[in-house]
Amino acid sequence: MINFQYARADGVADAVRRIAADPSAKFIAGGTNLIDLMKQDVERPSRLIDISHLPLKSVEETADGGLRIGALVPNSDLAYHPLIAERYPLLASAILAGASAQLRNMASTGGNLLQRTRCYYFYDTATPCNKREPGSGCSALAGLNRIHAILGTSESCIATHPSDMCVALAALDAKIHVAGPSGERTIALTDFHRLPGTTPQRDTNLQSDEIVTAVELPARGFAKNYTYLKIRDRLSYAFALVSVAAALELDGETIKEARLALGGVAHKPWRDTGAEAALRGQTANRAAFTQTADLILRDAKGFAHNAFKIDLARRVIVRALTQAAHGTPQSQSHKKIR
Ligand SMILES: Cc1cc2nc3c(=O)[nH]c(=O)nc-3n(C[C@H](O)[C@H](O)[C@H](O)COP(=O)(O)OP(=O)(O)OC[C@H]3O[C@@H](n4cnc5c(N)ncnc54)[C@H](O)[C@@H]3O)c2cc1C
Ligand code: SF4
């Protein structure tokens, strides 16, 4: 373990002041990702700024009918919050599909957004990794890449973003509230995480001196027709190979509004608004869902060990949309769809 300083922030402004004063400092919230990374020598902050006592732990209704979730609301509290369970069950399902009960008790909303990839080479400091050490190379390209990305990859990095929560937030059009030395701003969740391009060391568009203060959900929660479907190697306590957050608004069998986001397939939650637009006005049936899957995956590219994800993603998209259309979010597609 490396030596580091520890300080406790006594307010959001104090946290921002402290991080702006020390570029190699890091915030610590639940610590469930950062401490592991420090133990593995992947992250070497000179100072930990403890934000876990900041007053960012409430879930409040907004004037326009949505919710504002403080960055320090624990994942468990959020998933079981009555307003989330009732109005945004897609988000509750996604959170509960992640990690374990103990981890979800510790993990914060802000920390979940900023958790880092689970690429094996990122954690193994004996191997080259452009994300950990820019310019050193990407060991996954010609190495073991079963869990890696099939969409939006670059020659520098093919890692995936591991969060479940963020996939649901992408589908729900969430906004991230942040504060920094020059004030506050909001970032759409879909613009928060980045594709790797030539700078895979940057996971997000958050600046190093900014803090996430809240996540805002718009009023539309898709509580009737939704599914979070996560496919993984074990039934629990495993990251997604492919996951899909699907949400529909139906008028009879006609799709009025469709939202789809994929996890486990890209460096960020993958949303294709063109494919969503193509679903609007269509009848909710297997033909339309298969067409949507083909559209989303048109540019997917597999590597030596993960090409199976392309077909898997196609089937998961169709099944998730089918379950959402039937209003049976946890079903194994027991009803026949035409
Ligand atoms: C064994 C294991 C299995 C897991 N399985 C899953 C899974 O299946 N699905 C899933 O989605 N997740 C999974 N996780 C990840 C877990 O959800 C994250 O570790 C957790 O959400 C991180 O939250 P935290 O508060 O502990 O973050 P921390 O570890 O405290 O921080 C993580 C990062 O976020 C930064 N940070 C934290 N809060 C803020 C803020 N407010 N503003 C700015 N920066 C901030 C920190 O500086 C750090 O860089 C798993 C983790 C473990 C250890
Ligand atoms: S995929 Fe990304 S995180 Fe993994 S080794 Fe390559 S550069 Fe590093």
Side-chain angles (χ1 to χ4, degrees):
M1 196 79 185
I2 53 154
N3 285 328
F4 58 88
Q5 306 281 312
Y6 170 87
R8 189 182 272 192
D10 63 17
V12 169
D14 182 46
V16 168
R17 189 181 53 72
R18 286 177 186 272
I19 201 109
D22 183 353
S24 58
K26 282 252 163 194
F27 292 131
I28 183 159
T32 60
N33 190 212
L34 182 56
I35 296 295
D36 281 355
L37 289 165
M38 289 170 68
K39 285 184 187 163
Q40 306 261 359
D41 210 19
V42 176
E43 299 261 20
R44 302 173 65 84
S46 59
R47 184 184 305 270
L48 289 184
I49 303 168
D50 185 350
I51 55 171
S52 63
H53 297 269
L54 299 188
L56 303 172
K57 292 184 179 158
S58 59
V59 176
E60 286 159 13
E61 301 197 56
T62 58
D64 57 6
L67 290 183
R68 185 183 164 107
I69 302 157
L72 289 164
V73 175
N75 285 180
S76 312
D77 291 15
L78 186 57
Y80 293 118
H81 193 287
L83 291 175
I84 297 292
E86 186 194 325
R87 286 164 50 186
Y88 305 92
L90 175 61
L91 177 57
S93 312
I95 294 171
L96 294 175
S100 64
Q102 291 90 340
L103 281 160
R104 293 192 298 266
N105 287 341
M106 286 302 293
S108 65
T109 302
N112 195 316
L113 293 171
L114 287 147
Q115 63 175 293
R116 306 210 67 189
T117 185
R118 293 283 158 173
C119 170
Y120 333 107
Y121 303 103
F122 178 67
Y123 275 78
D124 179 356
T125 54
T127 59
C129 168
N130 286 324
K131 187 180 278 300
R132 181 171 23 79
E133 203 182 322
S136 62
C138 171
S139 299
L141 277 172
L144 292 174
N145 45 39
R146 182 169 180 275
I147 62 169
H148 289 74
I150 53 169
L151 287 163
T153 54
S154 76
E155 287 179 6
S156 301
C157 180
I158 59 171
T160 58
H161 190 261
S163 168
D164 291 294
M165 183 189 85
C166 294
V167 182
L169 290 180
L172 290 168
D173 260 348
K175 280 191 282 190
I176 313 301
H177 289 256
V178 311
S182 44
E184 298 179 4
R185 65 183 180 119
T186 55
I187 310 170
L189 187 283
T190 47
D191 296 330
F192 187 76
H193 300 97
R194 297 161 58 98
L195 288 179
T198 54
T199 53
Q201 68 275 19
R202 288 200 61 196
D203 293 343
T204 70
N205 286 316
L206 187 75
Q207 299 302 317
S208 58
D209 54 5
E210 287 180 316
I211 184 171
V212 172
T213 53
V215 171
E216 188 181 331
L217 295 174
R220 214 172 198 179
F222 299 91
K224 192 161 171 234
N225 293 99
Y226 72 93
T227 283
Y228 186 72
L229 183 55
K230 176 177 179 179
I231 305 298
R232 48 192 154 170
D233 285 324
R234 309 184 281 265
L235 252 186
S236 79
Y237 204 37
F239 290 92
L241 286 168
V242 173
S243 69
V244 173
L248 296 171
E249 259 178 34
L250 299 172
D251 182 1
E253 291 195 350
T254 305
I255 299 169
K256 275 173 60 192
E257 176 67 9
R259 300 282 180 79
L260 265 183
L262 273 66
V265 296
H267 202 255
K268 60 186 287 187
W270 190 266
R271 206 168 142 199
D272 184 332
T273 49
E276 290 171 7
L279 265 178
R280 276 181 222 126
Q282 294 211 46
T283 304
N285 60 25
R286 179 175 288 276
F289 299 158
T290 305
Q291 242 175 32
T292 303
D294 288 342
L295 196 55
I296 292 173
L297 295 163
R298 63 196 178 281
D299 295 324
K301 175 181 163 200
F303 296 85
H305 309 110
N306 74 346
F308 75 96
K309 278 192 178 187
I310 301 175
D311 197 39
L312 181 61
R314 184 172 286 112
R315 283 180 278 125
V316 181
I317 292 168
V318 173
R319 187 167 129 196
L321 283 167
T322 304
Q323 290 181 186
H326 286 145
T328 54
Q330 304 303 329
S331 109
Q332 303 293 313
S333 256
H334 63 275
K335 281 193 195 171
K336 267 237 166 298
I337 188 149
R338 285 179 291 128

